[in-house]
Amino acid sequence: MGTVGIFTTFFAIFGFIMVFVGWVTRKWIGRSTDYLVAGRQINLLVNTLGVAAIGYAGTTLTLAPAFTIMGGLTKSIFMLGVAYSLTGIISYALLIAPVARRTGAHTLPEWLEIRYDRRVRFIITLVTVVAMLGITANNVLSMATIITGFTGWSIPVTILITFLIFLFFTVLGGMWAVTLTDFIQGVLCTFAIPVLVIFLLVRYGGLSFLTHNWPGGNVWTSGIAGKSFPWFSTFYPSVFVAFFLYGMALVWGSNSYWIRVSSVRSERVAKFSYLLAALILFSANGFMYPLLGAYVGAAHPEMFAPQGSAAPAAAFGIFLRDTPSVLAAYFLLTTLAASVSTSTTYYMAGSSVIVRDIYQRFVKPNAKPEDLVKPSMIVNTLFGIAALLLCFFPGGPVYLFAFATAWLAPTAVIVILGLYSKKFSTTGAFVGGLTGLIFMSVWTLLDLTKIYPLTSKFGHMVIPGLIVSVVAALIANLFGKSKYDFTVKKRTQLSDKEIEVLDIIRRGYNTMAEITDLLDIDSSKSSELVLSLEKAGAVKRASNRGSGFYTFILTDFAQNLPTRIKSEEIYGDLDIVGLNILKHVKSGSQVLADELSKTTGLNSMALSTVINSLIRRGYLSEGGIWRRIIKITQKGLEAVQRFEKGDGESAV
């Protein structure tokens, strides 16, 4: 059996597994929160490989080796290794991921309403939908082009089959299916790293092979033609542009990374999954694929300019032709897995925004999460069909992908300013974001239509776009006022909802995510309730920026405000809900967390919040690669025993 036959077999097995995962995870969906953010149950290992799977795009498989052919190993390592994998992903892990998880917002546009207002949310919602649509279609089309170039299959047939596979499992299982399939695909791609390195060393030899056969001189500093692209230049490719493009705009401004954070179990998982994913991605994008480009260039210098006519981006395909059938089929499968994992994540990032930020806000504002499962599936299907049709529209994915990269940069600006500056106003965000979007859209349009190609004259648009966005935002900020800049006016008359929020904080659930999940509402609504209590002098924020901005502390004045908590509902540092959960698992055997929803009456999001609190305080331990499994600790057993004996202290 030849390479194409082996790959066809691998493809069939891969497709079956993806469909099977969708079929299994459909049973895990009870509410839209399960469908869109997997009930916030994703653990460290699964999310690590899920985030890594986003970076294993078909684009990186072609670009990383190409950068080596064009500019040598060192700059290739910096382009997608240092700029994207280390700078982009690690900065997201440290600056954004923990804060994003604490806000409780399911989507990036949802958080923008928390921080700013509905206008900003609406604009970024539209931008996100179009951007995610373009990126999804572009990834599928790129993958189909690579595969058909090697197998000879029809591009339309390849696109159609691939779409049917991932449409099936994503529509059925939502974020659960995407996360689990990304885990499988992440394992496939991660395992390929040592396999590929070993093969290159066995087939060609060590670095001495590169130094003796590289036609451009020094493989570290020069491309195959003896030239290199610059370190510092506004023109692409350059390392300088890569840091702004891959290290900031395409990561900070994308909803695909935000929903990954929103779906994990805790802030710790959010932070460390991104840090670990960064190391995995660097080993691929900053080591394996640049090295692959070097070996291909050294082994086949006749294929590339000035001797040949092959484009640098063809390096991966040339390598596959020079590889034994089984390995070639496996590496080609990793290309498929990389593209599907990236596509489905952007696919969910786009459809989740339509459900959460358009349908739920404007069509069914009072709908409960249980009522949104079918609409989520319908939206997912329609979004997938739109992306599929776009693949067959000449230039469609290319045009939308160009606009997507342009639009994400201004979004990144207002995200980082909003997270770390309490004084940054809605006016600054709206004007800065809109100005940047218009500026970069016009730039892109002039380039695509060739009317006046600004890129060829001034360089890549990401840097001017960021400058325009920042300047416009800062100037407009002078004429606006942050909604968090107010004078406290103490009042004792509180609404029922305000008392409910105050009691939630009294019970020890004092972050925006915990309040939102226990109230079971959109985080923009819970944010308004907290802000109202803040203006009333009942609560204050732990900090004016970062995670502390979404952590709340009761003031002394709050002690005199109304409460509906009864004395018997608080037992030491536990509330009655936490105690009931401990009693349900006191046997010491492991319990599937989802099963407690029926016995406690809590929905999956509220249950996740209470369990997180119990784990954080040492009453429970957790496990489970897929769904969360909990077990009571010795401290938890002692608490239950004290409660049953009546030896604990009750206090409001």
Side-chain angles (χ1 to χ4, degrees), residues 227-513:
K227 300 177 182 179
S228 184
F229 51 83
W231 285 96
F232 297 98
S233 173
T234 58
F235 289 87
Y236 183 86
S238 77
V239 176
F240 181 66
V241 170
F243 273 96
F244 286 96
L245 183 61
Y246 303 131
M248 178 184 172
L250 296 181
V251 180
W252 295 2
S254 175
N255 189 51
S256 60
Y257 292 96
W258 188 282
I259 62 170
R260 282 287 177 196
V261 169
S262 185
S263 65
V264 299
R265 296 177 183 177
S266 66
E267 293 171 31
R268 178 183 175 277
V269 172
K271 177 180 178 179
F272 285 100
S273 61
Y274 273 76
L275 290 174
L276 293 173
L279 298 179
I280 294 173
L281 286 171
F282 179 77
S283 67
N285 299 331
F287 173 67
M288 180 179 73
Y289 294 128
L291 191 65
L292 170 65
Y295 273 102
V296 172
H300 301 284
E302 76 284 353
M303 300 293 293
F304 304 97
Q307 299 181 45
S309 59
F316 188 73
I318 293 171
F319 162 74
L320 291 178
R321 296 172 195 161
D322 204 26
T323 305
S325 296
V326 174
L327 277 180
Y330 170 61
F331 291 137
L332 191 59
L333 181 67
T334 64
T335 304
L336 172 67
S339 294
V340 169
S341 64
T342 305
S343 299
T344 52
T345 299
Y346 281 101
Y347 176 73
M348 281 301 300
S351 62
S352 65
V353 165
I354 297 175
V355 174
R356 190 78 174 178
D357 302 297
I358 296 178
Y359 182 82
Q360 191 172 0
R361 281 190 65 208
F362 300 109
V363 181
K364 294 288 184 180
N366 298 318
K368 291 291 184 181
E370 292 85 356
D371 303 325
L372 293 172
V373 176
K374 285 187 177 179
S376 297
M377 291 182 173
I378 293 171
V379 167
N380 232 346
T381 303
L382 295 176
F383 190 84
I385 293 172
L388 173 60
L389 294 175
L390 189 63
C391 287
F392 296 102
F393 183 79
V398 177
Y399 276 66
L400 274 187
F401 185 75
F403 278 103
T405 56
W407 286 337
L408 294 180
T411 305
V413 170
I414 61 175
V415 165
I416 206 67
L417 287 174
L419 287 175
Y420 289 95
S421 176
K422 179 182 178 181
K423 297 292 185 180
F424 189 59
S425 68
T426 297
T427 303
F430 182 75
V431 174
L434 187 59
T435 301
L437 291 171
I438 293 173
F439 174 83
M440 298 187 79
S441 296
V442 171
W443 185 299
T444 303
L445 192 62
L446 291 174
D447 272 355
L448 293 174
T449 58
K450 310 291 185 185
I451 294 174
Y452 190 77
L454 294 171
T455 297
S456 63
K457 297 178 182 295
F458 303 105
H460 198 282
M461 63 183 167
V462 68
I463 296 174
L466 288 171
I467 293 173
V468 168
S469 299
V470 171
V471 171
L474 295 179
I475 292 175
N477 193 55
L478 299 174
F479 301 93
K481 183 179 179 181
S482 172
K483 68 179 182 181
Y484 300 105
D485 186 8
F486 55 82
T487 301
V488 173
K489 295 181 180 179
K490 294 182 179 180
R491 57 182 171 88
T492 57
Q493 297 297 318
L494 302 179
S495 68
D496 290 342
K497 275 296 182 182
E498 287 175 329
I499 295 173
E500 185 178 358
V501 172
L502 205 57
D503 284 346
I504 287 173
I505 298 174
R506 285 176 172 136
R507 293 174 185 271
Y509 305 105
N510 65 337
T511 70
M512 185 63 75

Side-chain angles (χ1 to χ4, degrees), residues 38-273:
R40 301 205 203 276
Q41 289 198 56
I42 306 303
N43 75 354
L44 179 64
L45 175 61
V46 173
N47 203 57
T48 296
L49 289 175
V51 174
I54 301 176
Y56 278 134
T59 308
T60 61
L61 294 178
T62 56
L63 284 182
F67 287 139
T68 303
I69 301 292
M70 296 164 64
L73 266 173
T74 302
K75 288 176 182 175
S76 179
I77 290 169
F78 268 83
M79 291 294 285
L80 289 173
V82 178
Y84 168 68
S85 303
L86 296 185
T87 304
I89 302 299
I90 289 180
S91 66
Y92 200 91
L94 299 178
L95 298 176
I96 299 178
V99 189
R101 180 61 179 84
R102 188 168 294 196
T103 68
H106 290 192
T107 65
L108 176 55
E110 183 179 332
W111 172 78
L112 290 171
E113 182 176 350
I114 294 178
R115 181 58 184 83
Y116 302 117
D117 66 4
R118 293 188 173 189
R119 294 179 306 162
V120 179
R121 179 177 184 173
F122 182 69
I123 289 174
I124 302 304
T125 293
L126 298 180
V127 166
T128 299
V129 170
V130 178
M132 299 301 104
L133 186 65
I135 293 174
T136 300
N138 189 71
N139 267 284
V140 172
L141 185 59
S142 299
M143 175 273 301
T145 302
I146 292 173
I147 291 177
T148 56
F150 190 82
T151 62
W153 296 353
S154 163
I155 287 184
V157 172
T158 305
I159 291 174
L160 184 60
I161 293 175
T162 304
F163 253 106
L164 288 175
I165 290 172
F166 84 62
L167 195 63
F168 184 88
F169 72 75
T170 51
V171 168
L172 283 181
M175 195 62 185
W176 265 122
V178 170
T179 299
L180 266 62
T181 53
D182 277 1
F183 174 83
I184 296 169
Q185 290 156 175
V187 170
L188 276 174
C189 295
T190 302
F191 182 69
I193 297 173
V195 173
L196 181 55
V197 171
I198 291 171
F199 172 75
L200 291 174
L201 292 175
V202 171
R203 180 65 179 268
Y204 301 109
L207 293 178
S208 59
F209 174 82
L210 301 179
T211 56
H212 289 118
N213 293 281
W214 190 252
N218 190 329
V219 68
W220 292 97
T221 59
S222 300
I224 199 168
K227 300 177 182 179
S228 184
F229 51 83
W231 285 96
F232 297 98
S233 173
T234 58
F235 289 87
Y236 183 86
S238 77
V239 176
F240 181 66
V241 170
F243 273 96
F244 286 96
L245 183 61
Y246 303 131
M248 178 184 172
L250 296 181
V251 180
W252 295 2
S254 175
N255 189 51
S256 60
Y257 292 96
W258 188 282
I259 62 170
R260 282 287 177 196
V261 169
S262 185
S263 65
V264 299
R265 296 177 183 177
S266 66
E267 293 171 31
R268 178 183 175 277
V269 172
K271 177 180 178 179
F272 285 100
S273 61

